[in-house]
């Protein structure tokens, strides 16, 4: 694989990863009622609502004018992202979430090979564009993991798995192999378990990692 192919592969893969983890979070959030969305399980924890607000605030700051301005914008008030204010309705927070992700995709989709070698700053610290992409991808997946764990805890026995159902690993592996042999389009790793349960049916068992 030549250099250009590696760059193209990286660019498409990072976009696919951002989209997949966004959808994973949304599939978890969709299972929550409003009380669960705002529930705090202990004094040191954040609610799903707060995590959504924090990710959205980060997205809107980091990816606006991505190549030409520092990622920590002067109009971002990070501390308030960890507070639920009176006008923080579920609808408004999810709209904020969606606008943040759209800002990311608008910034990342048009990046060229030359852009990936450019330098941007986050709080004044220089990053190559690749480093900035990796930094933000790992940051968002960290918080999306929190959303999924909280949602699973709050839904308990009513939780609908987003992973490979327990005791169905061999069946899942056969599903992937049959898909490869039939030359059907491959999906992102985070999407494959959802596609599996949608195709062959859900299980009453809990998920496994």
């Amino acid at each position: 694989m030549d250099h250009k192919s590696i760059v193209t592969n990286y660019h498409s893969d990072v976009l696919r990863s951002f989209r997949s983890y966004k959808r994973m979070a949304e599939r978890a959030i969709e299972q929550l009622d409003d009380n669960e969305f705002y529930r705090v399980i202990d004094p040191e924890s954040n609610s799903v609502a707060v995590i959504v607000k924090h990710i959205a605030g980060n997205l809107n700051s980091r990816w606006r004018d991505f190549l030409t301005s520092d990622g920590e914008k002067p109009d971002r008030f990070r501390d308030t992202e960890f507070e639920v204010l009176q006008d923080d309705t579920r609808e408004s927070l999810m709209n904020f979430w969606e606008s943040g992700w759209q800002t990311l995709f608008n910034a990342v989709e048009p990046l060229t090979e030359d852009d990936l070698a450019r330098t941007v700053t986050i709080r004044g610290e220089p990053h190559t564009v690749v480093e900035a992409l990796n930094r933000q991808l790992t940051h968002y997946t960290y918080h999306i993991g929190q959303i999924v764990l909280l949602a699973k805890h709050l839904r308990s026995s009513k939780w609908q798995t987003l992973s490979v159902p327990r005791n169905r690993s061999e069946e899942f592996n056969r599903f992937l192999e049959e898909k490869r042999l039939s030359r059907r389009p491959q999906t992102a790793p985070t999407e494959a378990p959802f596609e599996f349960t949608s195709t062959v049916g859900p299980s009453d068992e809990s998920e496994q990692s």
Side-chain angles (χ1 to χ4, degrees), residues 7-8 12 23 28 30 37 52 69 74 80 83 87 92 101-102 105 134-135 149 155 173 184 187 192 194 198:
V7 171
T8 300
S12 62
R23 187 68 188 115
E30 287 163 2
F37 182 71
V52 165
S69 68
T80 63
E83 303 172 5
D87 59 350
S92 71
W101 283 103
Q102 193 56 56
F105 295 130
N134 291 340
R135 170 174 169 162
L149 182 62
R155 295 305 292 161
N173 291 339
R184 284 179 287 166
T187 54
F194 183 79
S198 299

Side-chain angles (χ1 to χ4, degrees), residues 17 21 55 101 136-146:
S17 295
Y21 283 105
I55 293 176
W101 283 103
Q136 296 312 120
L137 179 61
T138 55
H139 182 72
Y140 302 143
T141 54
Y142 164 73
H143 285 304
I144 287 167
Q146 293 175 326

Side-chain angles (χ1 to χ4, degrees), residues 11 14-15 30 36 64-65 77 80 91 98 100 107 112 116 118 127 143 168:
H11 185 220
V14 78
L15 275 167
E30 287 163 2
E36 292 163 339
R64 182 161 29 105
D65 302 322
F77 301 100
T80 63
E91 181 180 12
E98 192 61 41
T112 66
L116 294 178
R118 291 176 62 174
H127 294 66
H143 285 304
R168 299 183 72 184

Side-chain angles (χ1 to χ4, degrees), residues 48-62:
V48 170
V50 161
I51 300 171
V52 165
K53 186 178 181 181
H54 170 56
I55 293 176
N58 183 285
L59 286 162
N60 278 284
S61 180
R62 293 289 184 268

Side-chain angles (χ1 to χ4, degrees), residues 156-159 161 165-168 197 201-207:
S156 188
S157 61
K158 296 179 181 178
W159 170 251
T161 183
R166 186 173 295 161
N167 298 322
R168 299 183 72 184
T197 55
S203 169
D204 292 333
E205 299 283 354
S206 298
E207 70 187 299

